[in-house]
Amino acid sequence: MRITVLAGGIGGARFLAGLRTLGHDITVIGNNGDDVTLFGLRICPDLDTVMYTLGGGISADRGWGREDETFRVRDDIGAYVAASGTDDLPSWFGLGDLDLATHLVRAHWLAEGLPLSVITARLCARWEPGVRLLPSTDDPVETHVTLAAGERVHFQEWWVRLHAAVPATGFELAGASGASPAPGVLDAIAGADVVVLPPSNPVVSVGTILAVPGIREAVAASAAPVVGVSPIIGGAPVRGMADACLAAIGVETSAYAVAHHYRDLLDGWLVDETDKDDADRLNEDGLLARAVPLWMTDLDTTARLAGAVLTLAADVRQ
Ligand code: GDP
Ligand code: CA
């Protein structure tokens, strides 16, 4: 089967590791909302998390960046921060020494004029993720966050520097109006047998992929079942600060509310066993929903979860 997955970073990548074991033809449409330029380097955190996770290079502890990493460059930048007395150096963003190699290579190819989709494929030639990884767009986009006080900051500033602890009132994919889907993205959606929304952040991962003009429309028009997995279990995110994102756009942090947030796209939805009530209510609302174990604790349980997604898609088709 041809399976197309709209994936963010850690949640998306872990799900993909399980799905990959089932032996299908997988295309991943990655999130560029997290992208940022720091120290003149274009950073694409979610693309790299998918690439490193599936390529066996991810830090198991952190879930982002490289295993066996050191941070000598970052720490040395810290010495400039301390001595300069300014806070305009983004030393709060952790780029490890090995990770820097990826970023220097990407910067070199970008300077040569190669599109991000071609660069991503070249980086993946080394990591062999076993899926086709596409950026959502080759055009520069990035998520901006409006804070309750009215100020607008880059998503990474809010997420990493402020730990999403400052209330936000909205998100915008800056650059989206001039952006178009990367080559292969719309074909991957139109030609899929199943489209999957994995347990990624609904607002700043899946939401920002869908914000690239044409992608939401393609998913809505897809003849294939569109099935999703809740990133919310028991009213809380498993990891990260998705609750702060959902609160900002007025969506309750529950498996039920996230399904309704996607309602115009979804044909099927998986919630955790502890949220069986949510599945019952969704079925009453007319959405095919099922309660299965959603904790991606190891590769076997994650593969079983991916299998449940495909079973749900098959049932949608009937
Ligand atoms: P990020 O870009 O690194 O934040 O990663 P994603 O957007 O792809 O995924 C983040 C989401 O993954 C969070 O909202 C988590 O709740 C969710 N998540 C992480 N681990 C699990 C898990 O084991 N099960 C489920 N259902 N969701 C998870
Ligand atoms: Ca992300």
Side-chain angles (χ1 to χ4, degrees):
M1 275 199 296
R2 286 162 303 178
I3 304 174
T4 296
V5 183
L6 276 54
I10 296 175
R14 293 216 170 128
F15 176 81
L16 285 163
L19 180 65
R20 185 180 55 174
T21 66
L22 305 182
H24 296 284
D25 175 355
I26 303 169
T27 299
V28 179
I29 301 174
N31 172 41
N32 295 103
D34 281 39
D35 294 8
V36 63
T37 301
L38 300 176
F39 301 106
L41 301 172
R42 190 65 176 162
I43 305 171
C44 305
D46 283 359
L47 294 181
D48 287 355
T49 295
V50 171
M51 179 175 78
Y52 290 154
T53 300
L54 298 180
I58 199 80
S59 161
D61 286 351
R62 272 181 277 116
W64 55 267
R66 296 280 302 276
E67 190 69 301
D68 296 324
E69 185 61 289
T70 52
F71 287 89
R72 296 191 64 199
V73 172
R74 183 198 62 187
D75 293 348
D76 210 58
I77 290 169
Y80 286 103
V81 174
S84 68
T86 71
D87 66 351
D88 63 350
L89 290 167
S91 56
W92 43 269
F93 196 89
L95 273 186
D97 302 331
L98 293 174
D99 204 8
L100 263 175
T102 304
H103 290 87
L104 293 174
V105 169
R106 181 185 283 121
H108 177 83
W109 282 332
L110 281 172
E112 287 201 328
L114 292 176
L116 184 61
S117 52
V118 171
I119 295 170
T120 303
R122 286 191 178 188
L123 295 171
C124 285
R126 169 185 174 190
W127 291 100
E128 300 184 341
V131 302
R132 193 161 61 114
L133 176 59
L134 304 174
S136 59
T137 177
D138 278 339
D139 300 308
V141 293
E142 52 190 45
T143 301
H144 289 176
V145 185
T146 304
L147 305 182
E151 194 192 346
R152 263 166 72 100
V153 298
H154 190 286
F155 170 69
Q156 297 297 354
E157 181 110 25
W158 182 66
W159 191 255
V160 178
R161 189 181 208 179
L162 301 173
H163 306 291
V166 178
T169 57
F171 301 87
E172 189 206 348
L173 187 66
S177 62
S180 51
V185 165
L186 295 182
D187 287 346
I189 297 168
D193 297 309
V194 183
V195 176
V196 180
L197 307 185
S200 284
N201 188 307
V203 184
V204 295
S205 290
V206 178
T208 42
I209 297 170
L210 293 170
V212 174
I215 296 186
R216 169 179 281 279
E217 294 77 359
V219 173
S222 159
V226 178
V227 290
V229 179
S230 177
I232 305 300
I233 298 180
V238 174
R239 181 190 167 122
M241 301 157 286
D243 45 344
C245 302
L246 289 166
I249 62 163
V251 174
E252 183 192 271
T253 301
S254 72
Y256 177 84
V258 173
H260 270 284
H261 173 64
Y262 287 139
R263 188 65 183 93
D264 55 330
L265 302 176
L266 276 187
D267 298 307
W269 186 243
L270 292 183
V271 307
D272 187 67
E273 288 171 312
T274 56
D275 294 318
K276 186 163 183 325
D277 289 354
D278 288 31
D280 292 343
R281 284 166 69 205
L282 289 167
N283 283 309
E284 283 165 22
D285 297 346
L287 177 71
L288 185 60
R290 239 165 240 165
V292 301
L294 289 198
W295 288 87
M296 300 186 289
T297 40
D298 55 44
L299 195 57
D300 283 349
T301 54
T302 309
R304 272 196 290 280
L305 169 58
V309 166
L310 300 187
T311 303
L312 183 67
D315 292 347
V316 166
R317 239 184 258 111
Q318 294 193 343

